[in-house]
Amino acid sequence: MKRRVFLRNNGLALASVPFLVSSDIIDGGNGKSGLRVQFTRDGLDLDPSEYSDLLREIAGGEDVLDNYSRFGVVKRMEEKFAELLGMESAVFMPTGTMANLIAVRKHAGLNKRVLVQADSHIYNDTGDGAQVLAGLNLIPLAERKTSFTLDEVMEAIERNDQGRVKTGVGAISIESPVRRRNNEVFSFNEMVKISGYARSRGIKMHLDGARLFNAVAHSGIPAKDYASLFDTVYISLYKDFNAASGAVLCGAKVFTEELFHTRRMFGGGMPQAWPFASVALYYADSFLPDYAEAMKRFTIFSEILNRREEFEISKIENGTNVFLMKVSTNNISGFIEKLAAKGIDLPRPAENIFYPKINNTLLRVDPEKLAGYFIDSLR
Amino acid sequence: MKRRVFLRNNGLALASVPFLVSSDIIDGGNGKSGLRVQFTRDGLDLDPSEYSDLLREIAGGEDVLDNYSRFGVVKRMEEKFAELLGMESAVFMPTGTMANLIAVRKHAGLNKRVLVQADSHIYNDTGDGAQVLAGLNLIPLAERKTSFTLDEVMEAIERNDQGRVKTGVGAISIESPVRRRNNEVFSFNEMVKISGYARSRGIKMHLDGARLFNAVAHSGIPAKDYASLFDTVYISLYKDFNAASGAVLCGAKVFTEELFHTRRMFGGGMPQAWPFASVALYYADSFLPDYAEAMKRFTIFSEILNRREEFEISKIENGTNVFLMKVSTNNISGFIEKLAAKGIDLPRPAENIFYPKINNTLLRVDPEKLAGYFIDSLR
Amino acid sequence: MKRRVFLRNNGLALASVPFLVSSDIIDGGNGKSGLRVQFTRDGLDLDPSEYSDLLREIAGGEDVLDNYSRFGVVKRMEEKFAELLGMESAVFMPTGTMANLIAVRKHAGLNKRVLVQADSHIYNDTGDGAQVLAGLNLIPLAERKTSFTLDEVMEAIERNDQGRVKTGVGAISIESPVRRRNNEVFSFNEMVKISGYARSRGIKMHLDGARLFNAVAHSGIPAKDYASLFDTVYISLYKDFNAASGAVLCGAKVFTEELFHTRRMFGGGMPQAWPFASVALYYADSFLPDYAEAMKRFTIFSEILNRREEFEISKIENGTNVFLMKVSTNNISGFIEKLAAKGIDLPRPAENIFYPKINNTLLRVDPEKLAGYFIDSLR
Amino acid sequence: MKRRVFLRNNGLALASVPFLVSSDIIDGGNGKSGLRVQFTRDGLDLDPSEYSDLLREIAGGEDVLDNYSRFGVVKRMEEKFAELLGMESAVFMPTGTMANLIAVRKHAGLNKRVLVQADSHIYNDTGDGAQVLAGLNLIPLAERKTSFTLDEVMEAIERNDQGRVKTGVGAISIESPVRRRNNEVFSFNEMVKISGYARSRGIKMHLDGARLFNAVAHSGIPAKDYASLFDTVYISLYKDFNAASGAVLCGAKVFTEELFHTRRMFGGGMPQAWPFASVALYYADSFLPDYAEAMKRFTIFSEILNRREEFEISKIENGTNVFLMKVSTNNISGFIEKLAAKGIDLPRPAENIFYPKINNTLLRVDPEKLAGYFIDSLR
């Protein structure tokens, strides 16, 4: 199968652009704007033109249309992700925010305390929906850290039991990788311990695995091994899987099968979700092998640059697809602009330090050529 | 401008199919499956293939891409609908359920009572999100009726004031047309009176105008005249405007401009909404003239059938795009099947009575021919 | 046992006033202010002086003091009311509002719809706590009536099932007698039918029986028979049982035993509740026999007055302790004032119609004398 | 005025026991059980017998009776506490839990984040009512400390502003003294700075001053100076002011005057609250002078004991009425029992360390005698 890792359409008829796959190494050929490699996103960041082309190709068949986000390609996408995680079933959600919210709300039931990381998305970036709309009390652990420990979990639960009013901890939500912490992963060992303890106490486990497959790629731990520790896992369709929007929440059938009612109550029952689900399904199986190739290319690219004094690329401890790159130059903005002119986007630096993200747009370019562009842009 | 009211792509290269506009009368020409006229939906009911083609055509330009449902074509769509309603501004919502919920929640503030129709969508078909998630008390009025009156509003407010605990009525929500009541319209005269009273009491007015433009077409009352009575108006992008999903909530700038935060809190902050907004914008200006033509054709079609004993098509009092059609035959399912074979879909009947919906798929066929198909299908 | 149905202390040392019981017929002897009979309340309406005297007498023993509304006399009161209703256990609540709210909230769980009477206390007089604080959707039935029927219940549930989003009915709450409807009783036959149906569907039944013992006295149906139809029953300690405040919620042990946590969450965990519980316990067994005597006296009193043209006292259909009394006079306020001067309080009339309430202050006076006072006061 | 700091009634007719005031030094005279000095509570811990006697004395006059916790002695109590704090008005609440909850809920409005101490009552001991019932997000600051700083406040607000979804901090709640931290006081200097900052940002300030008057006594800072930094202040009627239950919430008139509706919505609208309000009013003016005398006596008592090797009594840094007492003995339970036999109650020790609480029961005994009892009990 050939998978589209689109070039931007720069005047060429699209029909004449071969699909880009990991075995092709193409850089647009005809000039700077032809190449489109970015270090700013987790996914391909398809533009509307590319996206529409893809939809036209993949959404034309039978049994695509869904009905209020059920059936059709939505159902097939759900089944695919459930299978990837080794879980019984899955349900589409319009956003990860809603997936996390609906999951922890249902897990908690009347035990309204939920343990979370202080730097997690659900605690910082959701407008406090869990608290405001679901009346949950999110207890932040591990201030300024990526992982919390079983000890910290036990202490939080014990403190609760000492309170004058018994308030059950209904769920533990773990985000991994953690966006606010440069996509670092939560310690797998602690996950295992916490999961065992939680299950012995009847506390439910939820994984905000928006970018779980990045953790899988970097840790070598299979997605199913992660999933086996949790009652529910949310995966973003928007990040690694290139859908314009969308999320999928995986878990036991008894947990997910009536969730479309709750999804609708929150205003997430979209009449048609096939424009998202079809794209995520398209990339579901290919993300991991493509990303392995992207990592390989990034390693070659890094080795070339690290041989030079002006560059220093290094791993982040417990990191995944975010790296640290120091560039020695007095003209950092010139450097950025020259690369941009070649179709290479870097994230905004803090002084001369960048945190580039690896993603599958690296499949669009030969790593030696890419390194060459970087070196040239310093001149 | 030419607007697509797609034929199903039945083997023909799409490029060879002229766009269908109200001045064209085309029935697919080459056979039964070419025609696709349905009486079951408010909109065109584009299939994924048609939809992708359309996206490819309209979503390729500059400034389409939005960022978490802001900017790009989403912003242009918002501005267009605000303009159509004569309101200051508008904000995209993924569903009408969320649009209604967020609107009445904000209007109510700490005055948690909201008056609604007993047969309204918000009272019956939203999983009680307003109550469960926003703690509102929806007071149902006008049991088994489409409209409530100013007297009923005043009585409900007075009863409230007599309660031992003062509980303010913060908002009045009116749905019109009303889906559960065959898309009948709420009395405009009562709307005017209720609006005046509500404003004198500081009570906010919300219009669930999912299908407002159908009311506009049938009542002759301009959309701006409706909107002037309300603080907010929700319009569905999915029904008359053919987007796969989506809604737009119009109101004063001070009301809408920060609502994207609330939208995100509910889990409605989709990373990209251009696949919906671009389609709704595409049809925004054409719906009314196209629908006028569709009504004209339906009138001709009805007159032809009403001259025959076997058919009786009549208006519903205060109705809009739903009509009543009695068909005298012993073989109703045969009749339905024969029409379906010609590409004409009817809703499920109650015995021999149908409630067909007018929509712009009527532009795909000549009304005399259509009537002929109906007559032939009885044989 | 002698029970205090206090005279107002009018200059006499209290020690010299014998306790008033149903076998005594005393009218204060020494003048108008000595008598205190009112027709305005359900209970004795003890004033602070009387109440303090009573507390001093009954709260001095062992094991009175409670600890945050648990143990001591609170526990004994709870056990007593559970026994009176034939239920397993009971829990003190500071108010009936909180008792109803906590009961239906817990019954409903995640099935947030609760059927109630349109004229019930919980729907009208609680500031919408059930909706605002617990996110429940109270569905009002039986507009302007006292009882709803099983048919109405089934229709409300069916309508719910037809909604696009499944929203379970978690509980049915019935108030009886109904304060807003002159303390009329809900039809016992319908209660039986509704209870059977609800149980077959897993829907919980709650009785707002603030004045249940008035219903018991007038219907002859034992409290236990009412209670057997419900999962929880709330009884006011403030009305028939003369506590300054307080309520008791009876039900299965599994339902009530952890409710003190919830009570505290709502802010109802009073450090000491013995000043309420001890008084309610004091009157728990005596209310019914005393009230039987009060009814007897009211019957004698009514018969005397009904023999005269100027008076017409009649029962209210399905009524309990509220009656209808027409008085023919041109000087209604003079009539009221003359009775007040004798220590007899009437409720405010609507023109010449009164709705007097029977209560145990009737034990303070001989019915013939009381009738005489009424007749004299018309002169 | 003479104020009751009751002796337990040990056989003597109460009429013959003179009221105990700070100028009397009485130890019951006739034996061990006559003395009742405890180091376990903030207040006198009146038993039901004493409490009823007091009520009988103070609740007999005119204008005592309230109507659903309004008017009568409740109103006079509210006015008294407003005056003590130099605030405009006050409203009775059945518990401090409800007072805090209703205050921060109203302050927050739609800005649902509230900053609190991690060790505060509202964060630990209320069953998460603020989160569950009001949808607030309580942000815990100052883990394992008594005070947080302005810097910590600013950081918490800034973090919030960086979140993807803007979520306003609506209120800052400060508890002082802090029960879970041995009644230590929050830094007054930080309070001043935080208050200034909060007001400049429109963030409301709430003081959980359950035991504020202990802070006043130990810091020398007048209650009005504390109150001037806050929009609302809650004072417990149960602790320093000896009511069986109850709280008072003080603030601007515009804030408090309609709160009785909200109180009722939460189930806190008790029909009669005079049994609590009258007692709190009785002790409102006398607490501070009595407590000054109690501190004086405790100082004398401590000095005597500290001269001996077996005892070491010391202050807690930033402490109020809780002290630290080490006792050198091999028989700590014998020591406790001997004191109990004399009518002196100590809190449970951790090994040989006690945290005794000063309260006004110290007025019941001469400090030299008290010290003697302690010394004797070690033998």
Side-chain angles (χ1 to χ4, degrees), chain B residues 235-294:
Chain B
I235 304 288
S236 176
L237 305 183
Y238 160 67
K239 297 177 182 84
D240 296 337
F241 300 100
N242 304 310
S245 287
V248 66
L249 179 64
C250 304
K253 197 171 176 185
V254 70
F255 190 89
T256 64
E257 72 186 341
E258 294 280 301
L259 275 191
F260 67 91
H261 288 306
T262 309
R263 179 177 68 191
R264 190 144 185 176
M265 178 175 70
F266 275 87
M270 295 194 300
Q272 294 175 25
W274 63 263
F276 303 153
S278 57
V279 171
L281 179 58
Y282 178 77
Y283 288 105
D285 279 321
S286 61
F287 171 75
L288 276 180
D290 283 1
Y291 187 75
E293 173 66 23

Side-chain angles (χ1 to χ4, degrees), chain D residues 70 144 185 202 307 362:
Chain D
R70 303 178 73 195
R144 284 181 237 290
V185 290
R307 277 183 226 123
L362 274 165

Side-chain angles (χ1 to χ4, degrees), chain B residues 114-294:
Chain B
V114 177
L115 307 185
V116 302
Q117 294 135 294
D119 273 342
S120 61
H121 184 270
I122 197 172
Y123 194 65
N124 293 281
D125 299 302
T126 63
D128 294 348
Q131 295 96 332
V132 173
L133 301 176
L136 300 177
N137 182 6
L138 303 190
I139 311 280
L141 303 181
E143 187 76 33
R144 283 182 238 289
K145 288 187 292 182
T146 297
S147 299
F148 48 76
T149 64
L150 176 56
D151 284 348
E152 289 169 300
V153 166
M154 290 174 72
E155 191 195 323
I157 289 171
E158 205 172 304
R159 160 184 295 205
N160 178 21
D161 289 349
Q162 285 172 344
R164 288 201 181 163
V165 187
K166 213 169 95 184
T167 316
V169 168
I172 298 170
S173 176
I174 291 176
E175 181 183 348
S176 185
V178 181
R179 189 187 67 85
R180 281 180 164 255
R181 298 193 58 79
N182 280 323
N183 290 1
E184 290 171 22
V185 291
F186 195 102
S187 156
F188 188 75
N189 279 348
E190 288 297 331
M191 269 188 190
V192 171
K193 286 192 274 179
I194 291 166
S195 174
Y197 173 76
R199 283 176 171 169
S200 76
R201 299 266 304 213
I203 296 171
K204 301 297 181 184
M205 296 286 292
H206 173 68
L207 177 60
D208 174 345
R211 299 159 179 83
L212 178 65
F213 284 83
N214 292 106
V216 168
H218 287 273
S219 69
I221 298 168
K224 291 178 185 182
D225 289 12
Y226 281 104
S228 71
L229 304 175
F230 292 89
D231 295 286
T232 43
V233 178
Y234 138 63
I235 304 288
S236 176
L237 305 183
Y238 160 67
K239 297 177 182 84
D240 296 337
F241 300 100
N242 304 310
S245 287
V248 66
L249 179 64
C250 304
K253 197 171 176 185
V254 70
F255 190 89
T256 64
E257 72 186 341
E258 294 280 301
L259 275 191
F260 67 91
H261 288 306
T262 309
R263 179 177 68 191
R264 190 144 185 176
M265 178 175 70
F266 275 87
M270 295 194 300
Q272 294 175 25
W274 63 263
F276 303 153
S278 57
V279 171
L281 179 58
Y282 178 77
Y283 288 105
D285 279 321
S286 61
F287 171 75
L288 276 180
D290 283 1
Y291 187 75
E293 173 66 23

Side-chain angles (χ1 to χ4, degrees), chain A residues 113 125 128 144 155, chain D residues 113 125 128 144 155 164:
Chain A
R113 292 200 169 178
D125 300 302
D128 294 348
R144 285 181 236 289
E155 192 195 322
Chain D
R113 291 200 171 181
D125 300 302
D128 295 348
R144 284 181 237 290
E155 192 195 322
R164 287 199 179 165

Side-chain angles (χ1 to χ4, degrees), chain B residues 22-41:
Chain B
S22 54
S23 58
D24 300 318
I25 298 177
I26 288 172
D27 68 0
N30 66 332
K32 56 183 180 172
S33 65
L35 186 61
R36 186 157 165 265
V37 176
Q38 39 83 4
F39 291 92
T40 60
R41 303 286 183 135

Side-chain angles (χ1 to χ4, degrees), chain D residues 28-339:
Chain D
N30 66 334
K32 58 182 184 176
S33 65
L35 187 62
R36 186 154 165 264
V37 176
Q38 39 83 2
F39 292 92
T40 58
R41 302 287 183 132
D42 300 298
L44 293 173
D45 200 25
L46 303 175
D47 70 21
S49 190
E50 294 161 338
Y51 200 89
S52 303
D53 282 340
L54 178 59
L55 276 186
R56 196 190 161 210
E57 182 187 333
I58 64 177
E62 286 296 301
D63 196 24
V64 168
L65 188 64
D66 59 298
N67 183 11
Y68 280 89
S69 307
R70 303 178 73 195
F71 315 111
V73 75
V74 173
K75 183 157 183 282
R76 282 184 282 129
M77 179 281 296
E78 291 170 343
E79 288 165 354
K80 164 58 71 182
F81 277 89
E83 177 203 322
L84 289 174
L85 295 182
M87 300 186 103
E88 254 178 36
S89 66
V91 59
F92 172 82
M93 292 283 164
T95 65
T97 296
M98 195 182 288
N100 283 331
L101 175 48
I102 285 180
V104 298
R105 178 178 180 273
K106 181 162 176 176
H107 283 317
L110 292 176
N111 296 312
K112 300 262 189 180
R113 291 200 171 181
V114 177
L115 307 184
V116 301
Q117 295 135 295
D119 274 343
S120 61
H121 185 270
I122 197 172
Y123 194 64
N124 294 280
D125 300 302
T126 62
D128 295 348
Q131 295 97 332
V132 173
L133 301 175
L136 300 176
N137 182 7
L138 303 191
I139 311 280
L141 303 181
E143 187 76 33
R144 284 181 237 290
K145 289 186 293 181
T146 297
S147 300
F148 48 75
T149 65
L150 176 57
D151 284 350
E152 289 169 300
V153 166
M154 291 173 71
E155 192 195 322
I157 289 171
E158 205 172 305
R159 162 184 292 204
N160 177 21
D161 288 349
Q162 285 172 345
R164 287 199 179 165
V165 187
K166 213 168 95 182
T167 317
V169 169
I172 299 171
S173 175
I174 292 177
E175 182 183 348
S176 185
V178 181
R179 189 187 67 86
R180 282 180 163 257
R181 300 196 55 80
N182 281 322
N183 289 0
E184 291 171 22
V185 290
F186 195 101
S187 158
F188 187 75
N189 280 348
E190 287 297 333
M191 267 187 192
V192 171
K193 287 192 274 182
I194 291 165
S195 174
Y197 172 76
R199 284 177 170 169
S200 75
R201 299 266 305 213
I203 296 170
K204 301 297 180 184
M205 296 286 292
H206 173 68
L207 177 59
D208 174 346
R211 299 159 181 83
L212 177 65
F213 284 83
N214 293 106
V216 167
H218 287 273
S219 69
I221 298 168
K224 291 177 185 181
D225 289 12
Y226 281 104
S228 71
L229 304 175
F230 292 89
D231 295 286
T232 42
V233 179
Y234 138 61
I235 304 289
S236 176
L237 305 183
Y238 160 67
K239 295 175 183 87
D240 297 338
F241 301 100
N242 304 310
S245 287
V248 65
L249 180 64
C250 305
K253 196 170 174 187
V254 70
F255 190 88
T256 63
E257 70 186 346
E258 294 279 303
L259 276 190
F260 66 92
H261 288 305
T262 310
R263 179 178 68 193
R264 189 145 186 175
M265 178 175 70
F266 275 87
M270 295 194 301
Q272 294 175 24
W274 63 263
F276 304 154
S278 57
V279 170
L281 179 58
Y282 178 77
Y283 288 104
D285 280 320
S286 63
F287 172 76
L288 276 180
D290 283 0
Y291 187 75
E293 172 65 22
M295 286 198 292
K296 209 169 95 186
R297 295 187 187 190
F298 188 74
T299 303
I300 295 168
F301 161 83
S302 299
E303 283 167 0
I304 297 170
L305 291 194
N306 275 339
R307 277 183 226 123
R308 307 186 65 98
E309 284 208 336
E310 310 94 296
F311 291 97
E312 185 188 332
I313 298 180
S314 55
K315 287 190 177 176
I316 288 172
E317 206 187 327
N318 300 317
T320 54
N321 66 335
V322 176
F323 287 75
L324 190 139
M325 177 172 74
K326 289 189 194 170
V327 182
S328 301
T329 174
N330 290 326
N331 186 9
I332 200 82
S333 61
F335 171 70
I336 292 168
E337 279 161 25
K338 283 183 192 165
L339 282 169

